[in-house]
Amino acid sequence: MAAGDLKLLQGTLDVLVPKALLPGPRHSYGVAQWIRETTDDALNIEDGARYTALHRMEKWKNGSGCRRIGASRKTIRKAKYYRLTSAGRKQLQTGTRDWTQYAEAVFKVLEAPEVVA
Amino acid sequence: MKKRLFRLKRPRETIDSDIGAELQFHFEASIEDLMARGLDRAAARRETLRRFGDVSGYRDRIEHIGRRRAARERRRDWLDILRQDLAFGLRALKRSPGFTFAIVLTLGLGIGANAVMFGVVDRLVLRPPAHITDPDQVRRLLVRGDFAGNIITFPSVSYPDFQDFAKAESFESVAAQSFASTMTLGRGDAAVRVSGVLATASFFTLLGLEPAHGRLFTADEDRFGAVRTAVLSHAFWRRHFGADPDVLGRVLDLGRGSYTVVGVAPQGFTGINLRPVDVWLPLHAAWDEIIQDGWFTERGWTWLAPIARLRPGITREAAESETTAIHRAASLESGGEPDETIVVEPLIAARGSQAPDESVVVRWLGGVSLIVLLIACANVTNLLLARGMRWRRETAIRLALGVSRGRLIGQLLTESIALAGLGGLTGLIIARWGGDLMRHALVSDVAWIESPVSTRVLVFTLIASLLTGVIAGLVPALQSSRPELTDALKAGSGYTPMRRSKTRVALLVTQGALSVVLLVGAGLFVRSLNGVQSLDLGMEAGRVLVAQIEMDVGSAAGNDRVARVNDVFREAIRRVRSVPGVERISASRSIPFRATSSRRVAVPGRDSIPRLSTGGPYINGVTADHFATMGMTVLHGRGFAEADDRESAPRVTALNETMANAIWPGGDALGQCLQIGGSNAPCTTVVGIVKDPSRNTLIEEKSMQYYVPWGQGMVGGRLRGLFIRTTANPESLSEAVRRQIQDLDPAIRFVDVQPLQSLIDPQTRTWKLGATMFTVFGVLALVVAGIGLYSVLAFNVAQRTRELGVRAALGATSDRLISLVFREGIRLTAAGVVLGAVIVLLAGRAIAPLLYEVSPRDPAVLGIVALVLMLIAALASALPAWRATRVEPNEALRAE
């Protein structure tokens, strides 16, 4: 199985997007770019999906994790910047924990000695 | 607040172009990045698109998310504003509890009156009777014909008429019910009177009725000679049988036979009318409970209320012309009236030609309650306007600070709607309590199935409250959100140049006018009621008891049965006469306000006698002393004595005035010969003329009535009523009389003794309803309008403190100051009275049919109402006027 063909597990983007915003505000292209580079493009996520996740998480009341903070003066072109909210930070924490537990569990099985009956 | 100020609006286009810009940026940045890594532009572009995936698909998804969020935000903003406004409004209300209380009470009375009336109108006029499937397709069928020169629609039809209707193709099915008849259930002391109705088996299937228990009777059980079955009404089942489920199969000793209970009708089912029914009996099996031989074959006996279910797509006109054709053909064949037409009327009786009087009055009262609410609204508007004036400065400051006018209006409206909501709650309490009162006291012969605060009443109240809030609050909100900024900011609170608001003047005048209209209505109804109650009935009912005897004489042949009943009456007369307190006693064939029978008469040497539109002449057989017992006046000649009351006596008769004058206009009726039964009959000598007594209703056209001594056998049938004139309060004797009769004969099943007055009272109910409710609403309107006038005058005086102070300082006397205030109150009220009088004069004719011998323009009523209103105006002005004289010139001038 080629790395680029990995199926995207549900909820993956809801962890990756806040993580991308953790260091500080980024515009949407920056988020997409960072995830692509950090994963060496192994997850084969379409940029469109990243945008969808970003928009889905845009702040509504206290529900989701990031907030649009308007265009930056520095970029000439029109770009939207996103910043992580406290709710997003919390979501990232629980998401990371869940993912790690999940992955560890899977690894435990995969690395177990083969049982001879 | 600050956040909202900066929030950008996000209509749909903005969302879309936002996303467009974002994606645009993504593509440009991505292409640049890739080109920086050495790809050429075309390849970079291809790679960017590949990496992005389905552009339009993602775009749609993102737009969808954006739009949903925008909608959520809008909703939340709106709720936030509402919450803020409500909190603001409630705070303001808490600050002035007196003001709040006045408004809530005013609106509560107005809304409550409307909730009560809506409940009643809903049952009587708006909704079809309960439990009927697809009621829009069900119609009543009636016969319209010529009766002594008048085209009238008869309230019931004959059995052959009903059979005609069944042949019509226009109907899916046809059914009928009879009028309700009082029957006896059980016997002796345990006996009760129940209201029984005959119905065809098809009656239930046509209406689509589902029984609450057991079943309804079947077509097989609805045949001549079938075993007798009965269906109980739900209310009767609960009242008499304690809702016992084992009632099914019980055999009832009811009326003339034994009936097996087969089922219980659903709760609230009263057939096609609204009066309570206790038992339903199959028409063909139980006919002899209500009707007599021949009623199934003769077109002269009309006793059925037929209904039909229209086939889909058939118009009323088509059904009418088809049934009319069938009916006319059948009438020709049988020698009936050839010119009659059949009319197809709505199921809701109040919407057809047979609308009960109450339903007409109730519609009026519904309109009246709306007027009360309008007056209340005007009051609230006035109070809010007054307060708006007081807050001019605050409003001006807020406007100057940049609060938008729309926002301000929204805030004021929220407040007035909140007030109306509180008023609505108060109204519901009033409706709960007043509705019960009104139902029991005034519209008692309708089977009420829901509480006065039903779901529909709740919804109505909610809508009424909302509307009231908007109507009452809109003008004040518009006006007070538009103060002239500089004026309002400049002027100190004490120095408000008194410009009288035109709106407020108009409101006060309208209130006055509407109060006049309602009070005039009340006056007219009260006068009608007085007129009706003091009507000359041609008898003196005050101290008379009427006893009705029901006997079970089993299988005896017809004549013997009748003879036995009549013997019991004779015996009863002898016995009851000796009861202490009984002054006179007599018996008669007919009972006033109950059925009467007519018998043809002829006069020797004349081809015919005059016919009156009221039919007749109506015959009544009475025992000796009947006229004196009933308090009827013998105008000429004499009444009947014991000597007349036997078969062998010379034949004598007494006529009522109308009959005497119709046949012998010269006034020489005494001693003339009347042939009772037709020109072959022997002479009966006219020996007396009595003053016209009421026959069927209180208010009726005069009819020809004549009397013969019972014992001479010129009227057939049985005696029906025993009349007892007492020396004292008749009701104290009724039990003693009942006992005496009950013990007379074991075959006596039931004796019903009641004051004659109780037969008369139901006749005045419509006027009582109108008089009471118009008065209640009129007084309500007067109180509300009075409060309104008072509050406006009081407010004006408060506003003019400075001006009054200046006047006092310049030497104005108290008298002058008082008259200043009084003049204003009186002038406003007088304008209202004049306007109201104009309305009454123009619109009065509409109510005329409901009145009795009072002109809707009755000057006495109008005069009294005008006087009362001016009195109230004076009262309302008194306190403010007194306050005006207490203004201290020094303080007033200094208070700045």
Side-chain angles (χ1 to χ4, degrees):
Chain A
M1 188 167 68
D5 286 350
L6 260 178
K7 280 261 163 53
L8 192 61
L9 287 169
Q10 191 139 36
T12 314
L13 279 172
D14 293 350
V15 207
L16 298 189
V17 170
K19 177 77 179 176
L21 289 176
L22 198 57
R26 270 184 213 272
H27 52 62
S28 48
Y29 177 68
V31 172
Q33 211 50 25
W34 184 82
I35 294 176
R36 181 181 297 284
E37 280 161 13
T38 315
T39 58
D40 297 331
D41 210 5
L43 293 180
N44 193 24
I45 306 170
E46 289 182 336
D47 285 340
R50 270 190 277 268
Y51 272 85
T52 315
L54 204 51
H55 277 261
R56 196 170 55 235
M57 293 177 64
E58 203 179 326
K59 178 183 157 76
W60 175 69
K61 220 156 186 191
N62 301 319
S64 307
C66 64
R67 167 131 117 249
R68 202 189 293 221
I69 55 171
S72 157
R73 294 247 165 117
K74 288 176 203 153
T75 30
I76 308 155
R77 280 170 299 210
K78 227 178 164 179
K80 288 271 150 53
Y81 277 71
Y82 293 85
R83 190 181 66 196
L84 201 59
T85 61
S86 54
R89 224 176 285 275
K90 212 170 287 164
Q91 190 180 327
L92 178 61
Q93 271 170 20
T94 50
T96 311
R97 199 181 56 230
D98 292 350
W99 262 100
T100 319
Q101 282 171 0
Y102 179 75
E104 277 173 0
V106 174
F107 272 117
K108 269 180 197 159
V109 175
L110 295 181
E111 289 168 0
E114 280 165 48
V115 180
V116 182
Chain B
M1 192 80 178
K2 199 183 86 198
K3 278 180 206 158
R4 189 159 307 115
L5 229 78
F6 294 113
R7 176 165 294 151
L8 299 167
K9 278 195 178 161
R10 284 220 214 109
R12 199 184 164 134
E13 302 79 55
T14 328
I15 297 170
D16 295 357
S17 75
D18 262 14
I19 293 166
E22 194 173 21
L23 296 185
Q24 178 84 28
F25 171 72
H26 171 86
F27 286 126
E28 283 167 14
S30 171
I31 291 171
E32 263 170 36
D33 272 2
L34 290 169
M35 278 167 71
R37 288 184 205 170
L39 270 70
D40 66 38
R41 182 166 273 278
R45 198 182 145 71
R46 262 199 313 281
E47 177 58 14
T48 300
L49 281 175
R50 189 195 64 77
R51 283 180 178 183
F52 194 86
D54 175 10
V55 177
S56 71
Y58 279 121
R59 201 188 154 118
D60 280 356
R61 220 170 301 162
I62 293 169
E63 277 171 7
H64 182 69
I65 291 171
R67 239 172 275 138
R68 276 225 319 255
R69 184 173 41 241
R72 265 197 308 262
E73 273 166 7
R74 265 200 304 278
R75 257 198 316 275
R76 188 166 44 99
D77 285 359
W78 189 81
L79 278 173
D80 266 3
I81 292 184
L82 187 68
R83 215 178 12 243
Q84 272 187 8
D85 286 357
L86 260 179
F88 179 84
L90 290 178
R91 254 200 323 274
L93 295 179
K94 242 190 264 169
R95 244 183 291 155
S96 42
F99 167 85
T100 309
F101 180 75
I103 288 189
V104 167
L105 189 68
T106 308
L107 286 179
L109 289 172
I111 295 175
N114 277 275
V116 169
M117 286 321 300
F118 175 79
V120 177
V121 170
D122 192 38
R123 178 77 167 126
L124 260 53
V125 183
L126 299 181
R127 268 198 294 181
H131 299 290
I132 296 175
T133 312
D134 195 7
D136 290 345
Q137 288 296 103
V138 180
R139 300 298 157 89
R140 289 167 188 258
L141 305 176
L142 293 161
V143 175
R144 179 178 294 156
D146 183 325
F147 189 78
N150 300 317
I151 301 293
I152 61 166
T153 307
F154 296 95
S156 53
V157 312
S158 72
Y159 189 81
D161 292 334
F162 166 60
Q163 284 177 309
D164 294 346
F165 303 152
K167 293 176 203 150
E169 293 284 323
S170 307
F171 308 131
E172 267 173 18
S173 59
V174 178
Q177 74 165 66
S178 73
F179 55 86
S181 175
T182 308
M183 302 166 65
T184 311
L185 175 65
R187 43 190 68 229
D189 286 343
V192 291
R193 306 284 263 168
V194 302
S195 153
V197 171
L198 302 180
T200 60
S202 55
F203 186 71
F204 298 130
T205 45
L206 189 154
L207 296 178
L209 196 69
E210 293 293 336
H213 294 282
R215 57 184 182 80
L216 305 162
F217 43 73
T218 62
D220 257 350
E221 287 160 340
D222 180 27
R223 281 182 210 288
F224 293 111
V227 173
R228 297 185 181 215
T229 51
V231 169
L232 306 180
S233 82
H234 200 273
F236 181 63
W237 175 57
R238 270 212 315 235
R239 193 175 73 229
H240 192 73
F241 295 99
D244 179 6
D246 291 336
V247 77
L248 300 180
R250 279 263 284 276
V251 176
L252 305 182
D253 179 9
L254 175 70
R256 288 159 180 262
S258 309
Y259 291 83
T260 309
V261 176
V262 295
V264 177
Q267 186 164 19
F269 177 74
T270 53
I272 56 171
N273 298 318
L274 301 177
R275 284 172 198 246
V277 174
D278 296 326
V279 286
W280 296 91
L281 305 175
L283 186 119
H284 296 93
W287 64 274
D288 57 345
E289 296 291 353
I290 292 190
I291 62 162
Q292 289 161 21
D293 282 328
W295 287 34
F296 277 108
T297 47
E298 286 171 31
R299 284 181 192 271
W301 294 113
T302 62
W303 56 284
L304 283 173
I307 51 171
R309 189 174 281 280
L310 278 179
R311 273 189 209 288
I314 300 286
T315 61
R316 184 177 63 95
E317 289 77 14
E320 280 182 349
S321 66
E322 191 201 0
T323 39
T324 300
I326 296 174
H327 177 71
R328 285 187 179 175
S331 294
L332 266 183
E333 222 168 89
S334 62
E337 298 285 335
D339 296 329
E340 290 174 345
T341 51
I342 305 301
V343 281
V344 174
E345 290 200 345
L347 179 61
I348 299 172
R351 297 187 185 171
S353 61
Q354 310 295 318
D357 284 344
E358 293 106 88
S359 74
V360 182
V361 175
V362 154
R363 277 190 216 207
W364 271 92
L365 290 173
V368 165
S369 66
L370 267 184
I371 295 182
V372 173
L373 185 55
L374 277 182
I375 295 177
C377 271
N379 228 5
V380 172
T381 303
N382 244 334
L383 288 171
L384 288 173
L385 275 174
R387 209 193 41 176
M389 299 276 274
R390 211 175 303 146
W391 285 8
R392 266 160 32 117
R393 271 174 69 132
E394 179 175 288
T395 312
I397 291 169
R398 297 184 61 194
L399 281 173
L401 286 178
V403 176
S404 82
R405 205 177 150 216
R407 185 70 213 298
L408 215 54
I409 292 175
Q411 209 170 57
L412 291 167
L413 272 183
T414 311
E415 190 186 343
S416 69
I417 290 172
L419 277 171
L422 289 174
L425 278 180
T426 316
L428 283 178
I429 296 168
I430 293 172
R432 179 80 200 67
W433 169 82
D436 265 342
L437 205 71
M438 178 177 173
R439 287 172 172 199
H440 289 123
L442 301 167
V443 207
S444 51
D445 61 347
V446 167
W448 296 103
I449 49 180
E450 284 173 324
S451 115
V453 183
S454 65
T455 319
R456 282 166 69 100
V457 169
L458 269 178
V459 171
F460 170 85
T461 310
L462 188 74
I463 295 172
S465 306
L466 258 176
L467 277 178
T468 306
V470 173
I471 292 172
L474 196 57
V475 172
L478 288 176
Q479 278 207 358
S480 55
S481 67
R482 193 181 43 198
E484 279 122 61
L485 277 183
T486 40
D487 269 6
L489 288 175
K490 237 185 341 199
S493 62
Y495 184 75
T496 315
M498 194 51 221
R499 269 176 300 113
R500 215 186 290 133
S501 146
K502 275 184 202 142
T503 326
R504 307 190 56 193
V505 169
L507 283 171
L508 281 175
V509 172
T510 315
Q511 268 186 326
L514 292 176
S515 309
V516 167
V517 171
L518 294 196
L519 285 172
V520 166
L524 294 175
F525 265 99
V526 169
R527 287 207 65 178
S528 296
L529 181 64
N530 282 341
V532 170
Q533 279 174 338
S534 58
L535 261 181
D536 183 4
L537 305 181
M539 60 185 95
E540 204 261 290
R543 283 188 286 125
V544 180
L545 286 172
V546 50
Q548 296 173 73
I549 304 171
E550 187 164 324
M551 287 188 60
D552 186 2
V553 279
S555 55
N559 281 341
D560 290 351
R561 200 156 56 194
V562 168
R564 179 125 182 243
V565 173
N566 292 336
D567 287 347
V568 163
F569 268 86
R570 291 286 191 192
E571 186 56 34
I573 291 179
R574 264 191 292 282
R575 277 253 211 132
V576 174
R577 184 169 282 149
S578 60
V579 172
V582 170
E583 193 180 307
R584 293 169 189 278
I585 180 164
S586 70
S588 80
R589 170 78 165 79
S590 329
I591 298 174
F593 308 107
R594 294 279 190 274
T596 45
S597 27
S598 68
R599 191 148 192 229
R600 228 145 42 95
V601 296
V603 174
R606 295 211 206 164
D607 291 340
S608 65
I609 63 156
R611 274 187 65 170
L612 297 188
S613 65
T614 44
Y618 298 93
I619 189 170
N620 192 3
V622 299
T623 63
D625 216 17
H626 182 68
F627 299 145
T629 307
M630 297 292 283
M632 293 164 69
T633 313
V634 179
L635 295 169
H636 304 285
R638 62 178 180 86
F640 302 141
E642 290 289 347
D644 297 312
D645 197 12
R646 53 183 65 107
E647 193 119 36
S648 55
R651 291 172 159 243
V652 292
T653 179
L655 314 182
N656 74 344
E657 229 178 324
T658 301
M659 182 157 172
N661 291 336
I663 303 181
W664 291 282
D668 52 350
L670 280 187
Q672 298 281 7
C673 164
L674 195 69
Q675 294 166 304
I676 297 170
S679 51
N680 297 328
C683 263
T684 302
T685 313
V686 177
V687 295
I689 296 169
V690 298
K691 208 166 157 193
D692 287 337
S694 299
R695 189 170 62 86
N696 256 338
T697 53
L698 276 189
I699 295 160
E700 60 188 5
E701 298 277 305
K702 303 275 181 203
S703 57
M704 297 196 280
Q705 299 179 62
Y706 65 112
Y707 301 85
V708 292
W710 173 257
Q712 298 188 348
M714 279 176 286
V715 238
R718 50 162 287 194
L719 286 166
R720 294 191 179 274
L722 199 63
F723 300 89
I724 300 120
R725 173 163 292 271
T726 59
T727 50
N729 173 22
E731 273 182 87
S732 61
L733 276 183
S734 64
E735 183 50 29
V737 168
R738 199 190 69 77
R739 278 259 134 251
Q740 282 289 330
I741 304 173
Q742 179 76 56
D743 296 342
L744 217 56
D745 189 320
I748 292 178
R749 195 157 163 187
F750 192 83
V751 181
D752 178 49
V753 182
Q754 53 181 328
L756 184 55
Q757 189 63 42
S758 63
L759 299 185
I760 300 172
D761 283 342
Q763 306 271 337
T764 60
R765 200 171 37 217
T766 330
W767 288 285
K768 232 174 246 169
L769 174 69
T772 316
M773 293 312 288
F774 258 96
T775 307
V776 167
F777 287 155
V779 169
L780 212 62
L782 193 64
V783 169
V784 170
I787 292 175
L789 184 65
Y790 164 78
S791 59
V792 167
L793 291 178
F795 177 74
N796 282 357
V797 168
Q799 288 286 295
R800 289 164 77 181
T801 314
R802 194 184 153 102
E803 180 203 328
L804 292 168
V806 172
R807 281 174 189 259
L810 291 178
T813 58
S814 309
D815 288 0
R816 271 201 62 80
L817 294 178
I818 287 179
S819 80
L820 205 69
V821 177
F822 259 100
R823 257 210 318 266
E824 185 168 13
I826 299 292
R827 209 187 297 135
L828 285 169
T829 312
V833 169
V834 170
L835 183 63
V838 170
I839 297 174
V840 166
L841 293 180
L842 291 178
R845 204 171 305 153
I847 204 177
L850 290 174
L851 303 176
Y852 175 71
E853 293 199 339
V854 178
S855 156
R857 301 174 174 182
D858 190 72
V861 169
L862 206 55
I864 291 173
V865 168
L867 220 77
V868 167
L869 232 75
M870 299 315 289
L871 198 72
I872 292 291
L875 270 177
S877 316
L879 192 59
W882 178 75
R883 242 188 240 145
T885 65
R886 311 295 296 175
V887 172
E888 277 292 326
N890 280 339
E891 266 177 48
L893 292 174
R894 232 184 285 129
E896 199 33 13

